[in-house]
Amino acid sequence: MATTLYVGNLPWNTTDTALADAFSPHGTVISTRIITDKETGRSRGFGFVEVEDGDAEKMVSAMNQTEFGGRTIVVNEAKPRQN
């Protein structure tokens, strides 16, 4: 199974690859997704990292409140999507 982590306060120029590279030293990254504005295509400053269940807590502890691209990022387990 997989756990999805929310990553906030990302620099505007963050790529999916850069996000995966930042998290991969702490466990298995399954996928990453930077959320973009539908009209402009510009990053909205947050994204999601899908990781192996067993690595989720370790990644949150290792990455939350760390510097990434000159900004202090916020990392926690994503809440289920609400419609």
Side-chain angles (χ1 to χ4, degrees):
M1 291 293 299
T3 299
T4 302
L5 303 179
Y6 164 84
V7 185
N9 202 34
L10 290 170
W12 304 118
N13 62 349
T14 303
T15 63
D16 290 331
T17 304
L19 195 56
D21 290 346
F23 278 78
S24 61
H26 306 288
T28 303
V29 174
I30 298 168
S31 68
T32 59
R33 188 171 78 247
I34 302 294
I35 304 305
T36 56
D37 183 272
K38 290 179 182 172
E39 292 179 18
T40 65
R42 183 177 171 206
S43 169
R44 293 184 57 199
F46 69 95
F48 297 95
V49 179
E50 188 178 17
V51 302
E52 293 287 338
D53 280 341
D55 295 333
E57 283 186 44
K58 179 173 57 173
M59 286 189 178
V60 170
S61 296
M63 296 297 293
N64 189 38
Q65 298 298 314
T66 60
E67 189 173 308
F68 178 78
R71 299 183 76 168
T72 302
I73 60 172
V74 174
V75 180
N76 51 47
E77 192 169 331
K79 294 178 175 66
R81 194 174 196 174
Q82 296 189 3
N83 295 334

